[in-house]
Structure formats: C-alpha cells, structure tokens
Amino acid sequence: ALAPLALLAVALAALAVWDAGTSRGVALVAVEARARPTPEAEGVGRVREGEVLLLEATASGWRQVHLGDATGWVPARSTAEL
C-alpha cells in the first residue's frame, strides 16, 4: 500500500519542479482569448471570471495564457497575478 503513495509523492514533486517557473494569475472578468495580441485576432477560447490561469508572455497590454491544450492572448488588465 505504500508503493502507490510513494509514486504519487514522486509525481507531485516532479510537477512542482516543472511548474516552479510558471506564473499564475486569475481572470478578473470573462473574456475571449485571441490567437494574437490584438482585438481583431481570431478567438481561441473563452476565459471565465475567476478562472486560474497559467501566465506566459506580455506584449503591448496583452497577456499570453494557457487554455487547456491551446494558448491565447487576453487583455493584461483582465488578469491579476497570484
């Protein structure tokens, strides 16, 4: 019974190391994520108010976020870092 718990602990430790450099944020409002950092770009997914996000790059007032398997851009003012 200890082996599954040890395996889980190793997996969680590996995830913590992998995730250490990733910034997290929260969506302050519901917003459509865009393919590029511009309001004219194609929508790639909807971000819900209160949703916790993985934040990446920042460009010209936009924030790049992870949306499941996709990546999109939202207005930077619509997010706050945690």
Side-chain angles (χ1 to χ4, degrees), residues 3-23:
L5 290 176
L7 183 59
L8 177 61
V10 169
L12 289 174
L15 181 60
V17 168
W18 172 80
D19 194 39
T22 304
S23 180

Side-chain angles (χ1 to χ4, degrees), residues 20-44:
T22 304
S23 180
R24 292 185 184 273
V26 63
L28 301 175
V29 295
V31 65
E32 183 73 22
R34 304 286 174 183
R36 293 181 320 282
T38 174
E40 294 81 23
E42 177 184 355
V44 294

